[in-house]
Structures are given as C-alpha cells and as structure tokens.
Amino acid sequence: MKYAGYLVNRHVYNPLWYLWTPFEKLMLQNIKQRFDVIAKISAVGLFLCFPFSLALGNVFMVLLVLFWLLSGDYEKRWKIVRHKSVVWLALGLYFLLLLGVTYTVASFNDIQLSLVKYSKLLIMVLLISLLDDAAWRERCMNAFLVGMLFVLGTIYATIWFDVPWAVTHAKGWGGEHVAFGDRITQSIMVTFLVLLALVKSNNVSCIGLKVFWWTVALLSMVSITHLSGGRTGYLLLITVLIIFSIFSGSGLKRVSILSLLVAAVVVLAFSSKMLQQRVQLAASEAKSYETMEITSIGGRINFWKKSLQLIEERPWVGWGTGSYHDQWCRITSDRVEWCSFGRWHPHNQFLLFWLENGVLGLVIFAAFVFSPILSRENVPSARSIMIGFSIMFFINSMVNSSLWSSRENHFFIFMMALLMSGSNFFSSQESDINAHKSVRN
C-alpha cells in the first residue's frame, strides 16, 4: 500500500491521485468508514447515470441510502446539514405532505404515489450530508458532465445512425431527436450543460480546454434549437445565456460575451424551421384554448384555470396530499377525455402544492426554488450556476411539475443537493492552481 502511495503522487496536478484516492480510502479504513466511501461512490454513480437511465439512477440511489444507513455517525451528518436552510425547507415540505394525508380527500393509491414521488426530498438531505468534501462534489459534477456528454453524443449520433438505446429513430437533420426520456427533460438538462460548459470555458486558462467547452456549449445549443421541439428548452436557453453574460465578467468582457451570445441565438433562431414552427404553434394553441381542445399550450392554460378554481374553494389548507387527481376529474366531469388527459398534475408545480397543501405549501416550495440565490454558497465563482439553476427551476415549475415528473425531479432535487452542499463543486485542481498563482503574485 505504501508503494502504491509513492507511485500515485498526492499532488493536485496528478490525475492518478484524483482517481486513486477513493479506492485507497476504501482499503485503509474501518468497516463503517468503508460504507461511507461506498455511499459517496454511489452518489457519483447516481450523477453519472440519471441523465440517461432512470433505472440505473434508482439503483445507485438505493445503494446510497443503504450504505448511508450502514455507515452510521448520524450526529456528525446532522451537524453538516442542520445549518443549511434548504434542508429545513425540504424537510418542511415533506412534513407538510404527511400532514396533508390526515385531511386529504384522495384515494390511498394517490396518497402513496405522492409520498413516493416526493421522497427524494428526504434523500436530498442524505446526499447533502455526504458531500461536505469538495473533492466528492467535484467527482459528482464531473460524473454529471460525463453523463450529459453521452446524452449529447447520442443526440447527434441519431442524425446518421439508428441508435438502439435512443428514444427516437428517425434519422436526418432538423427532426426530433430524443436520446433518453422525453424532450422536455432532455432540453432542461442540455440547457444546464450549456451553462456549465460556458462557466468551465470562462474558468480555464488552457486554450484547448476553452475551445472544447465552447464547442460543447455550441453543440448543446444547436441540439436544443434544431434537434428538439421542446419549447421549454428554448425559453430556458435564452434565460441561462442572459444570466451567464451578466455574471461572466465586467466591462468590455461582459459586453463582448453578451454580444456574441445574442448573435448566436439570433442565428440559431432564424436558421431553425422547427423552432419557428413550434413557436407559431404555441401562439395558435394559446389563442384557441377556450375551445377545450387537447393541445400542449391550450391544455396548460386550462389546467391552470381549473386549478385556480379548485384553489379558490380551499385556498388556505388545500385539498390534501394526492388530491389533485380526483378533484381535477370532478371539475372536468363534463368532459371525460379531459379527466384522463390532465389527471396527474396541472403542469405547474406551484399550483400543485397550493392546491393540495395550501398557502404554506406554495410558500415553502417557492423558498425552496429560490434558495440557491440566497444561499451563502452563492459565491462569485459559482454565482452564474447557482442563479441560473434557480431561475431554470422557477421557469420550469411554472410550465411543468418539476418535482412530480420522475426525470425532472431527479435532476432538480439531486442537482440542488450538489449545489447547496458547498460552493466548490467544480474542479478542485483548478481552484488549487489559481490559489498557487495568487500566492506567487
């Protein structure tokens, strides 16, 4: 073991040390410490897999919980998380769901489904307690980047090949190309990849790495505008580009980056027939919502209107956990097809919590969404990522049910845990290199 330690020099610039350390710790420590390391390795596996496989993500999530329980040292873990406001918000939201069970009008199956869907709020607390070490946060973020690069590669591969694991199989440029899951979730995560790639390009000094990350950002943007019909992605992309421009520098640098990104968006928008058609269709659907035809935008408007009617009936405490299904079908009883179409959620997470858990549910969820902006972890080096993520979460929750849909809640809950665990979730090597430069200067 000592010989291996000499071979793998523990210097920050040596990538072998970075890869070796978790396994070295696994061999040297006692049984509970080994369980702790396995739980953290499971967290890395979770971030690697959930972008492209819910099943694999769930396997690593179960392993994470199991080895977290086996590793013990709960008092230490509680000390890590107890000062974080996002932990109290997550626990408070889940407690409110349990309280809502006592007066709900929902069936047992709907109650059970809600409690399972939102149980990731509890797992989020466990995850935060595991990621107090910056090196593990870096591994999780890098694992997510690798998973997303696989997703991006698959999207482009489907243009020329019939990729067996992809969702869509129609080849050719300009059509719908969904690698995994659905186009909404894919657009959300690829948009966040754009933001991460731009931040990475801004932080590295190596020209080759800058070119690589700018290329990843550009390919990701093109995949949203030209290879996906997800209109949520169009809106989120514009948002994160504005946020990155605001926080990427000052003076001439900020103006230059903003001008470059605006030019890129204009070119992409005018060169994408799919984007133009989808935006025109959205406007058409919005105008015709009163016909009660089942359309994407028209449907959402009717979801929101009917949900507000239900909220008016019981605005303070709501109808109880899991009650949306039955209440939606009651208020649309004159249209059987609408009961089936909208029975799961109203495509608005704010309205869903308000309808089921009252004003307090709405307030706690809103605070949860905006917690990265107000967090003490929101340091200058991480600001564009923290604020960008929070605004993405807000916008998506206004048009989709971010914590109800399985793929979306994987992304938003687990990424929230990673970002709120500590400000240093990017390359610790880069941070140390910059620190060495500051000392020399």
Side-chain angles (χ1 to χ4, degrees), residues 74-104:
Y74 305 128
E75 184 178 353
K76 175 186 175 183
R77 298 192 189 284
W78 175 243
K79 288 179 180 179
I80 292 171
V81 302
R82 67 183 181 183
H83 299 299
K84 295 184 181 292
S85 60
V86 72
V87 168
W88 290 104
L89 291 170
L91 293 176
L93 199 54
Y94 201 80
F95 173 77
L96 200 61
L97 293 168
L98 295 175
L99 187 63
V101 172
T102 63
Y103 61 86
T104 186

PDB file of all heavy atoms in Angstrom, residues 74-104:
ATOM      1  N   TYR A  74     -24.457   9.388  12.671  1.00  0.00           N
ATOM      2  CA  TYR A  74     -25.565  10.268  12.311  1.00  0.00           C
ATOM      3  C   TYR A  74     -25.443  11.663  12.936  1.00  0.00           C
ATOM      4  O   TYR A  74     -25.889  12.645  12.342  1.00  0.00           O
ATOM      5  CB  TYR A  74     -26.896   9.631  12.727  1.00  0.00           C
ATOM      6  CG  TYR A  74     -27.094   8.242  12.155  1.00  0.00           C
ATOM      7  CD1 TYR A  74     -27.421   7.168  12.979  1.00  0.00           C
ATOM      8  CD2 TYR A  74     -26.936   8.005  10.791  1.00  0.00           C
ATOM      9  CE1 TYR A  74     -27.593   5.897  12.460  1.00  0.00           C
ATOM     10  CE2 TYR A  74     -27.106   6.735  10.260  1.00  0.00           C
ATOM     11  CZ  TYR A  74     -27.438   5.683  11.100  1.00  0.00           C
ATOM     12  OH  TYR A  74     -27.612   4.433  10.583  1.00  0.00           O
ATOM     13  N   GLU A  75     -24.847  11.723  14.123  1.00  0.00           N
ATOM     14  CA  GLU A  75     -24.700  13.029  14.773  1.00  0.00           C
ATOM     15  C   GLU A  75     -23.806  13.951  13.953  1.00  0.00           C
ATOM     16  O   GLU A  75     -24.111  15.139  13.765  1.00  0.00           O
ATOM     17  CB  GLU A  75     -24.110  12.839  16.180  1.00  0.00           C
ATOM     18  CG  GLU A  75     -24.024  14.148  16.964  1.00  0.00           C
ATOM     19  CD  GLU A  75     -23.483  13.948  18.366  1.00  0.00           C
ATOM     20  OE1 GLU A  75     -23.301  12.771  18.777  1.00  0.00           O
ATOM     21  OE2 GLU A  75     -23.251  14.963  19.052  1.00  0.00           O
ATOM     22  N   LYS A  76     -22.720  13.407  13.427  1.00  0.00           N
ATOM     23  CA  LYS A  76     -21.820  14.189  12.593  1.00  0.00           C
ATOM     24  C   LYS A  76     -22.533  14.648  11.327  1.00  0.00           C
ATOM     25  O   LYS A  76     -22.389  15.790  10.881  1.00  0.00           O
ATOM     26  CB  LYS A  76     -20.592  13.350  12.234  1.00  0.00           C
ATOM     27  CG  LYS A  76     -19.635  14.044  11.266  1.00  0.00           C
ATOM     28  CD  LYS A  76     -18.522  13.118  10.831  1.00  0.00           C
ATOM     29  CE  LYS A  76     -17.654  13.781   9.768  1.00  0.00           C
ATOM     30  NZ  LYS A  76     -16.590  12.857   9.273  1.00  0.00           N
ATOM     31  N   ARG A  77     -23.308  13.750  10.729  1.00  0.00           N
ATOM     32  CA  ARG A  77     -24.018  14.086   9.493  1.00  0.00           C
ATOM     33  C   ARG A  77     -25.050  15.183   9.749  1.00  0.00           C
ATOM     34  O   ARG A  77     -25.258  16.074   8.926  1.00  0.00           O
ATOM     35  CB  ARG A  77     -24.681  12.848   8.917  1.00  0.00           C
ATOM     36  CG  ARG A  77     -23.687  11.759   8.531  1.00  0.00           C
ATOM     37  CD  ARG A  77     -24.352  10.679   7.712  1.00  0.00           C
ATOM     38  NE  ARG A  77     -23.480   9.539   7.515  1.00  0.00           N
ATOM     39  CZ  ARG A  77     -22.459   9.505   6.663  1.00  0.00           C
ATOM     40  NH1 ARG A  77     -22.172  10.580   5.951  1.00  0.00           N
ATOM     41  NH2 ARG A  77     -21.709   8.421   6.525  1.00  0.00           N
ATOM     42  N   TRP A  78     -25.720  15.106  10.911  1.00  0.00           N
ATOM     43  CA  TRP A  78     -26.703  16.119  11.239  1.00  0.00           C
ATOM     44  C   TRP A  78     -26.044  17.488  11.417  1.00  0.00           C
ATOM     45  O   TRP A  78     -26.604  18.517  11.016  1.00  0.00           O
ATOM     46  CB  TRP A  78     -27.471  15.728  12.499  1.00  0.00           C
ATOM     47  CG  TRP A  78     -28.432  16.764  12.973  1.00  0.00           C
ATOM     48  CD1 TRP A  78     -28.409  17.438  14.143  1.00  0.00           C
ATOM     49  CD2 TRP A  78     -29.575  17.264  12.260  1.00  0.00           C
ATOM     50  NE1 TRP A  78     -29.463  18.318  14.228  1.00  0.00           N
ATOM     51  CE2 TRP A  78     -30.198  18.231  13.076  1.00  0.00           C
ATOM     52  CE3 TRP A  78     -30.139  16.982  11.008  1.00  0.00           C
ATOM     53  CZ2 TRP A  78     -31.342  18.922  12.687  1.00  0.00           C
ATOM     54  CZ3 TRP A  78     -31.278  17.670  10.621  1.00  0.00           C
ATOM     55  CH2 TRP A  78     -31.862  18.618  11.452  1.00  0.00           C
ATOM     56  N   LYS A  79     -24.854  17.506  11.999  1.00  0.00           N
ATOM     57  CA  LYS A  79     -24.128  18.766  12.159  1.00  0.00           C
ATOM     58  C   LYS A  79     -23.779  19.385  10.808  1.00  0.00           C
ATOM     59  O   LYS A  79     -23.712  20.609  10.675  1.00  0.00           O
ATOM     60  CB  LYS A  79     -22.846  18.532  12.972  1.00  0.00           C
ATOM     61  CG  LYS A  79     -23.101  18.266  14.449  1.00  0.00           C
ATOM     62  CD  LYS A  79     -21.787  18.030  15.185  1.00  0.00           C
ATOM     63  CE  LYS A  79     -22.048  17.753  16.683  1.00  0.00           C
ATOM     64  NZ  LYS A  79     -20.783  17.486  17.410  1.00  0.00           N
ATOM     65  N   ILE A  80     -23.562  18.547   9.802  1.00  0.00           N
ATOM     66  CA  ILE A  80     -23.219  19.035   8.460  1.00  0.00           C
ATOM     67  C   ILE A  80     -24.415  19.748   7.820  1.00  0.00           C
ATOM     68  O   ILE A  80     -24.256  20.781   7.169  1.00  0.00           O
ATOM     69  CB  ILE A  80     -22.751  17.867   7.559  1.00  0.00           C
ATOM     70  CG1 ILE A  80     -21.405  17.321   8.066  1.00  0.00           C
ATOM     71  CG2 ILE A  80     -22.636  18.305   6.099  1.00  0.00           C
ATOM     72  CD1 ILE A  80     -20.967  16.048   7.379  1.00  0.00           C
ATOM     73  N   VAL A  81     -25.611  19.198   8.022  1.00  0.00           N
ATOM     74  CA  VAL A  81     -26.775  19.694   7.275  1.00  0.00           C
ATOM     75  C   VAL A  81     -27.659  20.670   8.049  1.00  0.00           C
ATOM     76  O   VAL A  81     -28.447  21.406   7.453  1.00  0.00           O
ATOM     77  CB  VAL A  81     -27.664  18.518   6.791  1.00  0.00           C
ATOM     78  CG1 VAL A  81     -26.861  17.567   5.929  1.00  0.00           C
ATOM     79  CG2 VAL A  81     -28.303  17.768   7.964  1.00  0.00           C
ATOM     80  N   ARG A  82     -27.521  20.690   9.379  1.00  0.00           N
ATOM     81  CA  ARG A  82     -28.524  21.405  10.176  1.00  0.00           C
ATOM     82  C   ARG A  82     -28.502  22.916   9.975  1.00  0.00           C
ATOM     83  O   ARG A  82     -29.488  23.604  10.257  1.00  0.00           O
ATOM     84  CB  ARG A  82     -28.333  21.085  11.660  1.00  0.00           C
ATOM     85  CG  ARG A  82     -27.049  21.618  12.270  1.00  0.00           C
ATOM     86  CD  ARG A  82     -26.908  21.201  13.723  1.00  0.00           C
ATOM     87  NE  ARG A  82     -25.690  21.719  14.314  1.00  0.00           N
ATOM     88  CZ  ARG A  82     -25.310  21.451  15.557  1.00  0.00           C
ATOM     89  NH1 ARG A  82     -26.059  20.673  16.315  1.00  0.00           N
ATOM     90  NH2 ARG A  82     -24.178  21.962  16.034  1.00  0.00           N
ATOM     91  N   HIS A  83     -27.388  23.464   9.488  1.00  0.00           N
ATOM     92  CA  HIS A  83     -27.297  24.911   9.295  1.00  0.00           C
ATOM     93  C   HIS A  83     -27.715  25.338   7.881  1.00  0.00           C
ATOM     94  O   HIS A  83     -27.668  26.535   7.578  1.00  0.00           O
ATOM     95  CB  HIS A  83     -25.865  25.396   9.572  1.00  0.00           C
ATOM     96  CG  HIS A  83     -25.405  25.137  10.972  1.00  0.00           C
ATOM     97  ND1 HIS A  83     -26.037  25.685  12.063  1.00  0.00           N
ATOM     98  CD2 HIS A  83     -24.391  24.377  11.458  1.00  0.00           C
ATOM     99  CE1 HIS A  83     -25.431  25.287  13.172  1.00  0.00           C
ATOM    100  NE2 HIS A  83     -24.435  24.480  12.833  1.00  0.00           N
ATOM    101  N   LYS A  84     -28.106  24.403   7.057  1.00  0.00           N
ATOM    102  CA  LYS A  84     -28.467  24.718   5.674  1.00  0.00           C
ATOM    103  C   LYS A  84     -29.977  24.911   5.567  1.00  0.00           C
ATOM    104  O   LYS A  84     -30.756  24.005   5.849  1.00  0.00           O
ATOM    105  CB  LYS A  84     -27.991  23.616   4.737  1.00  0.00           C
ATOM    106  CG  LYS A  84     -26.465  23.495   4.690  1.00  0.00           C
ATOM    107  CD  LYS A  84     -26.014  22.455   3.682  1.00  0.00           C
ATOM    108  CE  LYS A  84     -24.484  22.342   3.662  1.00  0.00           C
ATOM    109  NZ  LYS A  84     -23.848  23.555   3.127  1.00  0.00           N
ATOM    110  N   SER A  85     -30.372  26.093   5.136  1.00  0.00           N
ATOM    111  CA  SER A  85     -31.803  26.412   5.052  1.00  0.00           C
ATOM    112  C   SER A  85     -32.538  25.489   4.088  1.00  0.00           C
ATOM    113  O   SER A  85     -33.709  25.145   4.323  1.00  0.00           O
ATOM    114  CB  SER A  85     -31.986  27.869   4.616  1.00  0.00           C
ATOM    115  OG  SER A  85     -31.390  28.091   3.347  1.00  0.00           O
ATOM    116  N   VAL A  86     -31.866  25.064   3.022  1.00  0.00           N
ATOM    117  CA  VAL A  86     -32.534  24.210   2.025  1.00  0.00           C
ATOM    118  C   VAL A  86     -32.937  22.869   2.639  1.00  0.00           C
ATOM    119  O   VAL A  86     -33.941  22.266   2.228  1.00  0.00           O
ATOM    120  CB  VAL A  86     -31.627  24.012   0.792  1.00  0.00           C
ATOM    121  CG1 VAL A  86     -30.439  23.099   1.104  1.00  0.00           C
ATOM    122  CG2 VAL A  86     -32.424  23.445  -0.377  1.00  0.00           C
ATOM    123  N   VAL A  87     -32.174  22.397   3.622  1.00  0.00           N
ATOM    124  CA  VAL A  87     -32.513  21.149   4.302  1.00  0.00           C
ATOM    125  C   VAL A  87     -33.817  21.308   5.074  1.00  0.00           C
ATOM    126  O   VAL A  87     -34.710  20.449   5.008  1.00  0.00           O
ATOM    127  CB  VAL A  87     -31.370  20.730   5.250  1.00  0.00           C
ATOM    128  CG1 VAL A  87     -31.819  19.599   6.177  1.00  0.00           C
ATOM    129  CG2 VAL A  87     -30.151  20.300   4.444  1.00  0.00           C
ATOM    130  N   TRP A  88     -33.949  22.412   5.799  1.00  0.00           N
ATOM    131  CA  TRP A  88     -35.178  22.661   6.564  1.00  0.00           C
ATOM    132  C   TRP A  88     -36.370  22.850   5.634  1.00  0.00           C
ATOM    133  O   TRP A  88     -37.491  22.438   5.950  1.00  0.00           O
ATOM    134  CB  TRP A  88     -34.988  23.875   7.468  1.00  0.00           C
ATOM    135  CG  TRP A  88     -34.036  23.601   8.593  1.00  0.00           C
ATOM    136  CD1 TRP A  88     -32.741  24.020   8.696  1.00  0.00           C
ATOM    137  CD2 TRP A  88     -34.299  22.811   9.754  1.00  0.00           C
ATOM    138  NE1 TRP A  88     -32.169  23.544   9.850  1.00  0.00           N
ATOM    139  CE2 TRP A  88     -33.103  22.810  10.529  1.00  0.00           C
ATOM    140  CE3 TRP A  88     -35.407  22.122  10.224  1.00  0.00           C
ATOM    141  CZ2 TRP A  88     -33.001  22.126  11.734  1.00  0.00           C
ATOM    142  CZ3 TRP A  88     -35.314  21.447  11.437  1.00  0.00           C
ATOM    143  CH2 TRP A  88     -34.129  21.461  12.178  1.00  0.00           C
ATOM    144  N   LEU A  89     -36.141  23.465   4.479  1.00  0.00           N
ATOM    145  CA  LEU A  89     -37.230  23.647   3.514  1.00  0.00           C
ATOM    146  C   LEU A  89     -37.681  22.302   2.944  1.00  0.00           C
ATOM    147  O   LEU A  89     -38.881  22.044   2.800  1.00  0.00           O
ATOM    148  CB  LEU A  89     -36.779  24.579   2.383  1.00  0.00           C
ATOM    149  CG  LEU A  89     -36.557  26.037   2.785  1.00  0.00           C
ATOM    150  CD1 LEU A  89     -35.890  26.809   1.653  1.00  0.00           C
ATOM    151  CD2 LEU A  89     -37.884  26.696   3.175  1.00  0.00           C
ATOM    152  N   ALA A  90     -36.704  21.435   2.612  1.00  0.00           N
ATOM    153  CA  ALA A  90     -37.039  20.114   2.083  1.00  0.00           C
ATOM    154  C   ALA A  90     -37.789  19.280   3.121  1.00  0.00           C
ATOM    155  O   ALA A  90     -38.810  18.644   2.815  1.00  0.00           O
ATOM    156  CB  ALA A  90     -35.763  19.386   1.643  1.00  0.00           C
ATOM    157  N   LEU A  91     -37.286  19.292   4.370  1.00  0.00           N
ATOM    158  CA  LEU A  91     -37.948  18.536   5.434  1.00  0.00           C
ATOM    159  C   LEU A  91     -39.326  19.134   5.738  1.00  0.00           C
ATOM    160  O   LEU A  91     -40.293  18.396   5.982  1.00  0.00           O
ATOM    161  CB  LEU A  91     -37.081  18.545   6.693  1.00  0.00           C
ATOM    162  CG  LEU A  91     -35.750  17.786   6.605  1.00  0.00           C
ATOM    163  CD1 LEU A  91     -34.945  17.969   7.893  1.00  0.00           C
ATOM    164  CD2 LEU A  91     -35.975  16.308   6.328  1.00  0.00           C
ATOM    165  N   GLY A  92     -39.415  20.453   5.728  1.00  0.00           N
ATOM    166  CA  GLY A  92     -40.691  21.106   5.994  1.00  0.00           C
ATOM    167  C   GLY A  92     -41.726  20.787   4.935  1.00  0.00           C
ATOM    168  O   GLY A  92     -42.905  20.564   5.242  1.00  0.00           O
ATOM    169  N   LEU A  93     -41.282  20.742   3.678  1.00  0.00           N
ATOM    170  CA  LEU A  93     -42.198  20.432   2.590  1.00  0.00           C
ATOM    171  C   LEU A  93     -42.717  18.999   2.713  1.00  0.00           C
ATOM    172  O   LEU A  93     -43.918  18.747   2.532  1.00  0.00           O
ATOM    173  CB  LEU A  93     -41.483  20.633   1.250  1.00  0.00           C
ATOM    174  CG  LEU A  93     -42.338  20.796  -0.009  1.00  0.00           C
ATOM    175  CD1 LEU A  93     -43.363  21.913   0.156  1.00  0.00           C
ATOM    176  CD2 LEU A  93     -41.447  21.059  -1.212  1.00  0.00           C
ATOM    177  N   TYR A  94     -41.825  18.078   3.070  1.00  0.00           N
ATOM    178  CA  TYR A  94     -42.268  16.692   3.188  1.00  0.00           C
ATOM    179  C   TYR A  94     -43.158  16.509   4.425  1.00  0.00           C
ATOM    180  O   TYR A  94     -44.122  15.735   4.395  1.00  0.00           O
ATOM    181  CB  TYR A  94     -41.071  15.735   3.245  1.00  0.00           C
ATOM    182  CG  TYR A  94     -41.461  14.318   2.857  1.00  0.00           C
ATOM    183  CD1 TYR A  94     -41.588  13.976   1.511  1.00  0.00           C
ATOM    184  CD2 TYR A  94     -41.732  13.353   3.809  1.00  0.00           C
ATOM    185  CE1 TYR A  94     -41.970  12.696   1.129  1.00  0.00           C
ATOM    186  CE2 TYR A  94     -42.122  12.069   3.441  1.00  0.00           C
ATOM    187  CZ  TYR A  94     -42.235  11.751   2.103  1.00  0.00           C
ATOM    188  OH  TYR A  94     -42.626  10.488   1.722  1.00  0.00           O
ATOM    189  N   PHE A  95     -42.842  17.216   5.497  1.00  0.00           N
ATOM    190  CA  PHE A  95     -43.702  17.148   6.678  1.00  0.00           C
ATOM    191  C   PHE A  95     -45.104  17.659   6.352  1.00  0.00           C
ATOM    192  O   PHE A  95     -46.112  17.101   6.817  1.00  0.00           O
ATOM    193  CB  PHE A  95     -43.102  17.980   7.817  1.00  0.00           C
ATOM    194  CG  PHE A  95     -43.998  18.096   9.017  1.00  0.00           C
ATOM    195  CD1 PHE A  95     -44.127  17.042   9.914  1.00  0.00           C
ATOM    196  CD2 PHE A  95     -44.734  19.254   9.241  1.00  0.00           C
ATOM    197  CE1 PHE A  95     -44.967  17.137  11.018  1.00  0.00           C
ATOM    198  CE2 PHE A  95     -45.576  19.354  10.331  1.00  0.00           C
ATOM    199  CZ  PHE A  95     -45.696  18.291  11.222  1.00  0.00           C
ATOM    200  N   LEU A  96     -45.168  18.708   5.530  1.00  0.00           N
ATOM    201  CA  LEU A  96     -46.458  19.251   5.128  1.00  0.00           C
ATOM    202  C   LEU A  96     -47.252  18.228   4.305  1.00  0.00           C
ATOM    203  O   LEU A  96     -48.483  18.135   4.427  1.00  0.00           O
ATOM    204  CB  LEU A  96     -46.244  20.529   4.317  1.00  0.00           C
ATOM    205  CG  LEU A  96     -47.437  21.483   4.199  1.00  0.00           C
ATOM    206  CD1 LEU A  96     -47.862  21.985   5.563  1.00  0.00           C
ATOM    207  CD2 LEU A  96     -47.083  22.651   3.291  1.00  0.00           C
ATOM    208  N   LEU A  97     -46.537  17.452   3.489  1.00  0.00           N
ATOM    209  CA  LEU A  97     -47.189  16.379   2.730  1.00  0.00           C
ATOM    210  C   LEU A  97     -47.773  15.331   3.673  1.00  0.00           C
ATOM    211  O   LEU A  97     -48.891  14.847   3.469  1.00  0.00           O
ATOM    212  CB  LEU A  97     -46.187  15.724   1.785  1.00  0.00           C
ATOM    213  CG  LEU A  97     -45.663  16.584   0.629  1.00  0.00           C
ATOM    214  CD1 LEU A  97     -44.479  15.912  -0.042  1.00  0.00           C
ATOM    215  CD2 LEU A  97     -46.751  16.856  -0.392  1.00  0.00           C
ATOM    216  N   LEU A  98     -47.010  14.971   4.702  1.00  0.00           N
ATOM    217  CA  LEU A  98     -47.512  13.997   5.691  1.00  0.00           C
ATOM    218  C   LEU A  98     -48.709  14.561   6.444  1.00  0.00           C
ATOM    219  O   LEU A  98     -49.677  13.840   6.719  1.00  0.00           O
ATOM    220  CB  LEU A  98     -46.394  13.629   6.670  1.00  0.00           C
ATOM    221  CG  LEU A  98     -45.185  12.882   6.081  1.00  0.00           C
ATOM    222  CD1 LEU A  98     -44.110  12.685   7.142  1.00  0.00           C
ATOM    223  CD2 LEU A  98     -45.609  11.531   5.502  1.00  0.00           C
ATOM    224  N   LEU A  99     -48.649  15.842   6.769  1.00  0.00           N
ATOM    225  CA  LEU A  99     -49.773  16.484   7.439  1.00  0.00           C
ATOM    226  C   LEU A  99     -51.005  16.488   6.541  1.00  0.00           C
ATOM    227  O   LEU A  99     -52.138  16.281   7.000  1.00  0.00           O
ATOM    228  CB  LEU A  99     -49.389  17.912   7.823  1.00  0.00           C
ATOM    229  CG  LEU A  99     -50.388  18.686   8.686  1.00  0.00           C
ATOM    230  CD1 LEU A  99     -50.559  18.003  10.049  1.00  0.00           C
ATOM    231  CD2 LEU A  99     -49.922  20.129   8.862  1.00  0.00           C
ATOM    232  N   GLY A 100     -50.773  16.681   5.240  1.00  0.00           N
ATOM    233  CA  GLY A 100     -51.876  16.702   4.286  1.00  0.00           C
ATOM    234  C   GLY A 100     -52.578  15.370   4.148  1.00  0.00           C
ATOM    235  O   GLY A 100     -53.738  15.310   3.720  1.00  0.00           O
ATOM    236  N   VAL A 101     -51.905  14.293   4.535  1.00  0.00           N
ATOM    237  CA  VAL A 101     -52.519  12.960   4.484  1.00  0.00           C
ATOM    238  C   VAL A 101     -53.667  12.859   5.488  1.00  0.00           C
ATOM    239  O   VAL A 101     -54.638  12.124   5.266  1.00  0.00           O
ATOM    240  CB  VAL A 101     -51.453  11.869   4.765  1.00  0.00           C
ATOM    241  CG1 VAL A 101     -52.102  10.494   4.908  1.00  0.00           C
ATOM    242  CG2 VAL A 101     -50.414  11.845   3.649  1.00  0.00           C
ATOM    243  N   THR A 102     -53.589  13.612   6.579  1.00  0.00           N
ATOM    244  CA  THR A 102     -54.587  13.498   7.649  1.00  0.00           C
ATOM    245  C   THR A 102     -55.954  14.067   7.256  1.00  0.00           C
ATOM    246  O   THR A 102     -56.963  13.742   7.884  1.00  0.00           O
ATOM    247  CB  THR A 102     -54.100  14.210   8.928  1.00  0.00           C
ATOM    248  OG1 THR A 102     -53.953  15.616   8.664  1.00  0.00           O
ATOM    249  CG2 THR A 102     -52.782  13.641   9.393  1.00  0.00           C
ATOM    250  N   TYR A 103     -55.989  14.950   6.243  1.00  0.00           N
ATOM    251  CA  TYR A 103     -57.284  15.528   5.863  1.00  0.00           C
ATOM    252  C   TYR A 103     -57.577  15.411   4.363  1.00  0.00           C
ATOM    253  O   TYR A 103     -58.525  16.022   3.870  1.00  0.00           O
ATOM    254  CB  TYR A 103     -57.349  17.006   6.283  1.00  0.00           C
ATOM    255  CG  TYR A 103     -56.314  17.901   5.652  1.00  0.00           C
ATOM    256  CD1 TYR A 103     -56.525  18.483   4.403  1.00  0.00           C
ATOM    257  CD2 TYR A 103     -55.120  18.181   6.309  1.00  0.00           C
ATOM    258  CE1 TYR A 103     -55.577  19.320   3.829  1.00  0.00           C
ATOM    259  CE2 TYR A 103     -54.169  19.015   5.747  1.00  0.00           C
ATOM    260  CZ  TYR A 103     -54.400  19.586   4.509  1.00  0.00           C
ATOM    261  OH  TYR A 103     -53.471  20.402   3.938  1.00  0.00           O
ATOM    262  N   THR A 104     -56.764  14.639   3.642  1.00  0.00           N
ATOM    263  CA  THR A 104     -56.927  14.555   2.196  1.00  0.00           C
ATOM    264  C   THR A 104     -58.219  13.853   1.804  1.00  0.00           C
ATOM    265  O   THR A 104     -58.749  13.014   2.545  1.00  0.00           O
ATOM    266  CB  THR A 104     -55.733  13.823   1.559  1.00  0.00           C
ATOM    267  OG1 THR A 104     -55.845  13.886   0.128  1.00  0.00           O
ATOM    268  CG2 THR A 104     -55.688  12.360   1.980  1.00  0.00           C
TER     269      THR A 104
END
